[in-house]
Amino acid sequence: MVFEETESAKGPVFSYASQLTIVDVNVENGEVKVPKVVFAADAGNILNPLAFEGQVEGGVMHGLGFALKEKFVPGETVTLKSLNIPLIKDTPDEIITVSACVPVDGGPFGAKGAGEMSDVAPVPSIINGIVSACGVRVLDLPASPDRVKGLLGKETP
């Protein structure tokens, strides 16, 4: 594919995002809950704010599932239930979406992409939240209650 630079398209456009996650860790049983998430993004001009917010909320839940719940075992994981995807009860009480909303040259109507960036930030944010809360770093996902409980009281790298 050849990309021609014009006045309206000056080159590739990149989106940036960051996430702050509040986590509660039960040190007795290793259970991790996420009551609040603040997701901040530079996605250019947001053309549809409600769709953007929904995209972020879905991505936050996708990342939460990857970080805390989902475990694929070949031959055993055959349904979404056996994959252990997050349920509505696992949804944070608050997901706050913040956008810089600054139009950019080169994007359609000043927009950048917003499709995948909300899937990337949750995992390190949640795992680092666990470190801040109780001092253990989970290196193998998911950070299941058994895994977190097993790490409590041990030194972390």
Side-chain angles (χ1 to χ4, degrees):
M1 179 169 151
V2 177
F3 181 82
E4 291 185 29
E5 191 171 299
T6 65
E7 278 305 307
S8 62
K10 299 191 184 295
V13 178
F14 298 98
S15 300
Y16 300 93
S18 185
Q19 179 172 313
L20 170 73
T21 306
I22 305 298
V23 299
D24 292 332
V25 180
N26 182 326
V27 294
E28 297 297 319
N29 65 15
E31 184 179 22
V32 178
K33 294 191 180 222
V34 177
K36 184 175 183 177
V37 170
V38 178
F39 182 89
D42 173 12
N45 187 31
I46 305 298
L47 302 178
N48 185 332
L50 192 57
F52 176 72
E53 187 176 335
Q55 179 70 38
V56 168
E57 290 170 354
V60 165
M61 288 305 295
H62 183 234
L64 184 146
F66 186 55
L68 298 177
K69 298 184 64 80
E70 297 171 13
K71 183 176 181 182
F72 178 78
V73 180
E76 292 180 27
T77 307
V78 294
T79 65
L80 293 176
K81 185 175 182 178
S82 63
L83 179 60
N84 197 27
I85 64 170
L87 304 173
I88 193 72
K89 68 178 184 165
D90 301 312
T91 304
D93 295 331
E94 259 187 294
I95 300 175
I96 299 169
T97 304
V98 179
S99 174
C101 207
V102 178
V104 63
D105 287 341
F109 304 104
K112 296 181 180 183
E116 299 297 328
M117 68 178 167
S118 59
D119 289 0
V120 177
V123 175
S125 183
I126 291 168
I127 298 304
N128 286 331
I130 294 170
V131 175
S132 294
C134 64
V136 299
R137 180 171 301 280
V138 178
L139 298 176
D140 296 315
L141 299 178
S144 62
D146 288 343
R147 193 165 276 157
V148 173
K149 186 178 177 184
L151 290 171
L152 286 168
K154 298 180 182 176
E155 287 191 29
T156 58

